[in-house]
Amino acid sequence: MDTWSIGDLAAQTGLTVRTLHHYDEIGLVRPGRTGAGHRRYTAAEVVRLHRIVTLRGFGFGLAEIATLLDATTPDVRDLVERQYVQAVERVARATRQRDRLDAVRRRFDATGDVPAADLVSLIEGMTRMDAEEFERRAALRRALTEKMSADERAEMSARRAAAWAAMTPDQQEEMRRSRPAPA
Amino acid sequence: MDTWSIGDLAAQTGLTVRTLHHYDEIGLVRPGRTGAGHRRYTAAEVVRLHRIVTLRGFGFGLAEIATLLDATTPDVRDLVERQYVQAVERVARATRQRDRLDAVRRRFDATGDVPAADLVSLIEGMTRMDAEEFERRAALRRALTEKMSADERAEMSARRAAAWAAMTPDQQEEMRRSRPAPA
DNA sequence: TTGCTCCTCACGTCACGTGAGGTGGC
DNA sequence: TTGCTCCTCACGTCACGTGAGGTGGC
């Protein structure tokens, strides 16, 4: 199969058609069109989609992903490596959680009850997981951004300036409201 | 400490003040108030909050949680047990993912590249995880609902009918649009 | 009096979900 | 001709985030 229709791609990847529509709408993955206006995904777009889903799995938002893919072109091998590291970390964290819960469970069985203050700590343990996730994500973004070469940075800067210059005043105003001002 | 102010509770649990406001707004956790109108959380509310955060961790939406807590009163011991089982599952899934990624990584290093069709499968592996999560959640909801005794069911039904009767026609119309009709 | 925490609106956000209504190739 | 897949609006959703503007006890 050389290209994919949106329905085939959705069925095979488990993504929804609406998700692919959304990525097209926001300019994240813009497939070509047939004469009838139907989307056709090529291998290059599948590669891009793989990068997006992987990055999404790291907790990045779609806007961040757009910026990252605009600035760098993460190597598939590199992404898989990072996913591997992440999986190793998840195994470790899940194991710690499991042991902690086992300890709490045993304590319950010994004392028969649990004070509210202890439940507060339990909640803390559950919510802090998300906070850690957030931190790892920020660190990863820094790492990916730093991988940009000086040339890539200059190129990105030029691309942004050109895009800015090509906008109508209204569009620029819109951008100013939603994003930090360009250099 | 006998009761908690909203700020103290937020700081100690890692939840935000806004989240606690939100839970109050939708009637999920309604603390008492001081003379000045400040919220005061008692041990009973902390227990309820613990149930909510735990259920949230299982992937339930707040509306589902409201229904569950209205129908059953999940035992803290039972919830911890379920979380333990979930943690064990997470360890297993993370381990499988890790091994799969390791295999892909090795294959990359051997062949030097990866065809687009293989990336489609990789995407499928990532998104299917979420689908599994969804299924486990549906199964858990069924399990928790089945734990309701017949008496609890009847009581819940009566409570719903009373709430319905107490509504203005406008509110009933609103309910009809957002939920299935009551029996 | 000065901070600090608390309060209530109320609009914004993010990543899509969910119809509505219609077209086009096998 | 009949399905089936595809299309474009466009409003809805979920769980809060994020100010705005103001009050009250130590």
Side-chain angles (χ1 to χ4, degrees), chain B residues 28-160:
Chain B
L28 208 45
V29 184
R30 318 213 84 145
R33 303 283 186 133
T34 66
H38 290 198
R39 293 171 180 83
R40 272 283 146 185
Y41 292 85
T42 65
E45 275 126 17
V46 168
V47 171
R48 189 170 168 84
L49 195 57
H50 172 259
R51 293 200 172 103
I52 291 166
V53 174
T54 306
L55 255 17
R56 211 183 55 172
F58 287 133
F60 289 103
L62 297 183
E64 289 176 304
I65 292 175
T67 306
L68 281 172
L69 292 186
D70 216 36
T72 66
T73 306
D75 183 30
V76 172
R77 171 67 169 84
D78 186 42
L79 285 182
V80 169
E81 182 68 32
R82 287 176 189 280
Q83 276 195 290
Y84 174 77
V85 171
Q86 200 193 33
V88 170
E89 267 182 46
R90 264 213 305 278
V91 171
R93 270 190 301 161
T95 304
R96 278 205 308 276
Q97 257 277 63
R98 185 197 61 192
D99 294 345
R100 238 161 51 108
L101 286 164
D102 190 38
V104 170
R105 190 174 61 155
R106 285 172 193 282
R107 205 147 49 83
F108 272 29
D109 290 345
T111 67
D113 196 28
V114 59
D118 284 14
L119 288 181
V120 169
S121 311
L122 268 183
I123 294 173
E124 198 257 345
M126 300 174 210
T127 54
R128 292 305 179 210
M129 298 262 294
D130 304 353
E132 272 180 46
E133 187 76 25
F134 203 80
E135 239 325 291
R136 292 191 316 108
R137 173 175 158 184
L140 183 54
R141 183 174 48 227
R142 279 194 297 274
L144 285 174
T145 311
E146 270 164 26
K147 285 196 76 171
M148 273 192 280
S149 69
D151 280 5
E152 278 175 323
R153 267 178 237 255
E155 200 200 323
M156 188 174 75
S157 175
R159 217 165 28 223
R160 280 195 184 151

Side-chain angles (χ1 to χ4, degrees), chain A residues 3-14:
Chain A
T3 62
W4 287 259
S5 74
I6 194 167
D8 289 344
L9 193 55
Q12 289 176 46
T13 59

Side-chain angles (χ1 to χ4, degrees), chain A residues 154-176:
Chain A
E155 200 199 321
M156 185 173 80
S157 177
R159 221 171 19 229
R160 280 197 184 149
W164 183 258
M167 284 180 178
T168 68
D170 274 8
Q171 287 173 322
Q172 292 187 353
E173 178 53 30
E174 178 61 34
M175 284 299 276
R176 258 192 291 268

Side-chain angles (χ1 to χ4, degrees), chain B residues 14-30:
Chain B
L15 297 168
T16 68
V17 169
R18 178 61 179 115
T19 295
L20 294 170
H21 277 176
H22 185 57
Y23 292 174
D24 190 358
E25 269 172 44
I26 64 176
L28 208 45
V29 184
R30 318 213 84 145

